[in-house]
Amino acid sequence: MAGKAEKEHGEAGGRARGIDRLIQILEYLHEDGRPQRPNDIAVGIGAPKSSVYEIVNRLVDANFLEPFDREGRLFLGRKLHFLGAHYLETFDLLREADPTVAALSAETRETAQLCMCEGDKYVVALAHSGGRHFKISSDIGRPIPLTWTASGRLLVADRSENEIIDFIPPADFTLPDGKPLATRKFLSQIESARAEGFYSSDSVVDDYTHCFAAPVRDRDGACLATLCIVAPREEAKRRHDELRDSLLRHAATLTAKLGGGAKRRP
Amino acid sequence: MAGKAEKEHGEAGGRARGIDRLIQILEYLHEDGRPQRPNDIAVGIGAPKSSVYEIVNRLVDANFLEPFDREGRLFLGRKLHFLGAHYLETFDLLREADPTVAALSAETRETAQLCMCEGDKYVVALAHSGGRHFKISSDIGRPIPLTWTASGRLLVADRSENEIIDFIPPADFTLPDGKPLATRKFLSQIESARAEGFYSSDSVVDDYTHCFAAPVRDRDGACLATLCIVAPREEAKRRHDELRDSLLRHAATLTAKLGGGAKRRP
DNA sequence: TATGCCATTCCGCTATACTGGAATGATGGC
DNA sequence: GCCATCATTCCAGTATAGCGGAATGGCATA
């Protein structure tokens, strides 16, 4: 589960099994983000065309993929939405969190998200855009280095310094602009996040947003996820305290709903 | 694509391919609705245990399945949520409809849904529960005969009588209580729904709700989906006109949004 | 501790799914 | 119209994925 010795499946070498091809195809479309032809997919994942055509047809039959246009492009299918919705209903954290995220977004009129670790990366698990149609970032489920986000500081804050260094891939200490993030600096930011139970910073992914993050804890006090607000920098500065308070209040409510809130784990 | 000569994949006979097993497993968990052990899944879909264990492990690695408890039960995984969310963003109708469904639900304080055809069946594609926590029906994506629902009348109303009879499997003219639905009656209900641009009736699936449905149309006037309200029968009777008007208004807005030139992005 | 039941893992065999490459079809430029 | 280019489908061979069955492990109850 942890992020160390991750066995690679879609590996090079001999022939691959259908299952792995299937997973590759879905993940590829998800990551690439745009509808593609079977041929493009084959090239994209480096698989034989004949195999991809064969599997893709089966996936269309099952509504895991869906025809997108008349040029033969395909994209993720409706069935995935159905399965995903079912997952949400069953998974306590997200089920409970969804109304909270919606309420926070409605109250602040900014984009609100629930973020989590996925392996050694950060992902947005839920998002509600604020009133303005600024285009919700909406990269739900797209993994990003933990180091790039305010939430990341909180998500790793339960670990010791050594564990953190061990946990985060060295490559992730390079920011999107190519500049390095000093380990020492990162650790001290984490220390501050841990102490405050809150962290906020300008996004390093874009040039115009500021992100506020607060931890959502289980009953052992472990940080399961972060609730966060993404706002234009202007707005974030002007309404800093208001947004922070709103965020902290909702995060506390959600933690309470989950039966959490105790201190640290034993 | 239509619902006639559907080639069966998970069929009996020789050995099955992994892809088909995978799809079977996910659909089985979705339909059964509760977390299961690999062994239960194997029995449930009638597949060899060794195969299911093997595939299930791979699916857990890929987060398509997720450990559910410490007794080894598994359920649909987070990745499915991510893929499903991505589908939603890309699919105009659902992306546009989501705020409408939310608004309708908020305004009426009843459960609101967007329903569509899936092959020759009816499915709920989006749902927002009303204020009360009556437990949202929330069978998102679970196929139901079109004949069982108010929405079904509208969803087939674009077809001729012969086409309808041809389209709907004979078995679906049996209602959940085992009684038959007369073809003639069904057709005349459709005629009425078509004329009114609205249909409402008590649910035949349960004994305490009433369902209001209105069409959402594309620019050619075809019924893409229905917007609907599910309310307790008491409430539905008392607030009948109010709920109908609210529904029709939102359905018209949504139709306008889509007809205004909504297009898919390349 | 012994016993029975069931879930899970292990293992060798072989039917077949995946593949490479070639044939066919579609598209667009000239 | 006639190529050139690329997407898609067809096909036969073989590496291997899926299978059955047997071994192991877990967890009760006696």
Side-chain angles (χ1 to χ4, degrees), chain B residues 15-16 18 21 48 50-51:
Chain B
R15 76 168 63 168
R21 292 296 186 207
S50 43
S51 305

Side-chain angles (χ1 to χ4, degrees), chain A residues 70-91:
Chain A
R70 263 134 255 168
E71 279 79 54
R73 267 176 278 267
L74 303 168
F75 200 63
L76 304 173
R78 194 190 296 183
K79 184 64 131 276
L80 294 169
H81 161 51
F82 295 157
L83 296 172
H86 205 153
Y87 166 78
L88 273 194
E89 287 167 33
T90 329
F91 186 50

Side-chain angles (χ1 to χ4, degrees), chain B residues 89-132:
Chain B
E89 286 167 34
T90 331
F91 186 46
D92 277 336
L93 172 57
L94 297 191
R95 192 182 56 222
E96 299 292 347
D98 191 54
T100 301
V101 176
L104 178 59
S105 152
E107 180 176 306
T108 60
R109 319 221 78 215
E110 303 294 345
T111 294
Q113 303 175 329
L114 188 86
C115 308
M116 307 179 65
C117 281
E118 173 96 333
D120 54 21
K121 294 285 186 291
Y122 153 103
V123 294
V124 177
L126 292 173
H128 285 259
S129 71
R132 46 187 125 207

Side-chain angles (χ1 to χ4, degrees), chain A residues 18 21 48 50-51:
Chain A
R21 292 298 186 203
S50 43
S51 306

